[in-house]
Amino acid sequence: MPFGLVHDWHAGSVAPLLTEASAQRGGAAEPHLAVRSLHARALAGERIAESVWSAALEPALWDVYRYAYAYAYEEAFATASAAASSFALSRGYGESEAAEHGESCARLNTEANARARAIAR
């Protein structure tokens, strides 16, 4: 299959659909518009460096991943947050400090795990 077909499909169909879906969920359109722009430029014959593709694709795919695995992500976040909060409480932190610690640890843990999973797939 010629790459032109792939670029045309993404620029004309996939990226607009992802942009709309992201907006409906309160997400940013910019990552998807950036990928659409790259596909349009590539379709026009411009050679796009791998580093440029990577820089544009990472935030867009991260957005898609969060929507595709929203429940798993939210469940993992809640579990990690509760565990870290409980640990902090057991070590003498106050409730607000423990909650803050739980949120911080859950964010770091869950996002790192989600990123690793997305990269591995």
Side-chain angles (χ1 to χ4, degrees), residues 4 9 12 15 19 26 30 34 36 38 71 75 83 95 98 116:
W9 177 57
T19 302
E30 290 79 14
R36 182 181 191 183
L38 288 179
Y71 298 111
E75 185 177 316
E95 283 197 36

Side-chain angles (χ1 to χ4, degrees), residues 87-105:
F87 177 80
L89 285 171
S90 76
R91 296 298 188 258
Y93 284 67
E95 283 197 36
S96 65
E97 291 172 305
E100 184 178 320
H101 176 74
E103 292 286 316
S104 175
C105 286

Side-chain angles (χ1 to χ4, degrees), residues 21-53:
S22 183
Q24 288 175 353
R25 290 171 173 78
E30 290 79 14
H32 305 291
L33 294 174
V35 172
R36 182 181 191 183
S37 173
L38 288 179
H39 280 292
R41 289 169 46 197
L43 180 60
E46 183 179 340
R47 292 183 58 97
I48 311 293
E50 180 183 344
S51 60
V52 175
W53 280 109

Side-chain angles (χ1 to χ4, degrees), residues 58-86:
E58 184 175 349
L61 292 175
W62 183 239
D63 196 43
V64 169
Y65 179 86
R66 274 197 298 266
Y67 297 140
Y69 297 98
Y71 298 111
Y73 180 88
E74 289 172 11
E75 185 177 316
F77 186 92
T79 300
S81 179
S85 293
S86 292

